[in-house]
Amino acid sequence: MRRINIIILCLTATISTFGQVKTLTKEQYDTVVTTSRDQVDKLLRRVVSETTKYKGGVIETTETLTKESLPSGDNRWSLITKKEGVTLNKLQLVYLGKYEYRKEGESDWKKRCVKDCSSSESEGSYGILGSAELPKVQEFLVSDSTAAGQSATVYVSYRVYQIGSILNFFESKIWIGSNGLILKEESIDSDVFPTNRKSFETISYAYNPKDVALIEAPIK
């Protein structure tokens, strides 16, 4: 109970930084965000995610993920991981039709089916560590704001989830413009004290950029 009280106090301090804050239900929040993402998916776009990961309160690595997406659903991804300015890993992904093309570092490209696969093409799925969200420790808020020099509405969600015996705190902010498109996002993942960050992510959106090259299969 003491941990939950600490979380609530931290939420209150964070919420007070916004003006004219209104609460939302989970259903209201999900409807707005899902509608905006559906609208975004119809556009040519470049989305850049910058993720800083921490260990013991010190920056451990930074990751830059650039995703170029077509309305058809085809995507090109580039992920670069650095530590103290030195590149540790590079990963390139191309999603074209039913196939994923993967290139790690300087290795050769690999191809696998990821959608509507025949039994011979299926290779199973990747396992994801499960977590349990605590339904009573969550809050959804909305407030007027600005982003990228535009008037926007920021939608904020706070959640506490549990992995094993450890409580974790997740805060997400999504700025949506008057046209219904997402302008930017931020998220913080931390332990039970929100100031003890595990990671901080910022996501920026560019719509209909002129320099997105045609997405083609790198191998047959």
Side-chain angles (χ1 to χ4, degrees):
M1 181 60 68
R2 182 182 178 186
R3 286 185 175 184
I4 300 303
N5 288 337
I6 292 172
I7 293 167
I8 292 173
L9 288 173
C10 292
L11 289 179
T12 303
T14 304
I15 293 169
S16 66
T17 63
F18 291 94
Q20 301 296 321
V21 176
K22 298 179 181 178
T23 59
L24 297 174
T25 65
K26 182 180 185 302
E27 290 73 21
Q28 290 172 324
Y29 174 90
D30 289 343
T31 296
V32 172
V33 173
T34 300
T35 299
S36 184
R37 292 200 189 283
D38 288 344
Q39 187 172 341
V40 166
D41 287 345
K42 298 175 183 177
L43 300 176
L44 172 67
R45 63 199 180 277
R46 178 183 290 119
V47 181
V48 180
S49 305
E50 300 277 354
T51 304
T52 302
K53 295 186 176 180
Y54 300 84
K55 186 174 183 179
V58 178
I59 294 176
E60 184 176 32
T61 60
T62 57
E63 295 178 353
T64 302
L65 173 61
T66 303
K67 295 191 290 186
E68 295 177 337
S69 304
L70 305 183
S72 63
D74 296 335
N75 294 265
R76 180 192 296 112
W77 296 20
S78 173
L79 175 64
I80 299 175
T81 303
K82 293 184 177 182
K83 183 173 184 178
E84 297 178 349
V86 178
T87 299
L88 298 180
N89 298 298
K90 290 183 179 180
L91 173 64
Q92 298 177 68
L93 296 169
V94 172
Y95 291 96
L96 193 60
K98 60 189 286 187
Y99 294 105
E100 174 198 82
Y101 302 84
R102 173 184 293 257
K103 179 180 176 64
E104 300 185 37
E106 302 304 318
S107 65
D108 294 332
W109 283 95
K110 296 180 181 179
K111 175 184 177 182
R112 72 183 184 104
C113 181
V114 294
K115 182 173 63 175
D116 300 327
C117 307
S118 65
S119 57
S120 60
E121 292 174 315
S122 300
E123 298 181 5
S125 58
Y126 295 107
I128 299 176
L129 180 63
S131 63
E133 184 174 315
L134 306 184
K136 293 184 180 179
V137 189
Q138 59 182 2
E139 190 157 9
F140 303 91
L141 307 167
V142 61
S143 177
D144 293 334
S145 184
T146 58
Q150 303 180 43
S151 296
T153 304
V154 58
Y155 292 86
V156 186
S157 70
Y158 302 92
R159 292 183 173 95
V160 178
Y161 62 96
Q162 186 169 5
I163 299 179
S165 61
I166 306 300
L167 289 179
N168 293 267
F169 176 90
F170 186 76
E171 171 189 339
S172 170
K173 299 176 185 176
I174 303 174
W175 282 261
I176 298 179
S178 58
N179 58 1
L181 298 178
I182 299 174
L183 300 177
K184 71 172 185 177
E185 300 183 55
E186 290 183 359
S187 64
I188 299 173
D189 196 6
S190 65
D191 65 17
V192 69
F193 294 97
T195 53
N196 293 342
R197 292 182 176 181
K198 294 181 179 179
S199 67
F200 174 66
E201 180 183 37
T202 64
I203 305 175
S204 60
Y205 288 75
Y207 297 104
N208 298 312
K210 303 298 183 183
D211 58 341
V212 174
L214 180 67
I215 298 178
E216 299 179 328
I219 59 173
K220 293 184 179 180

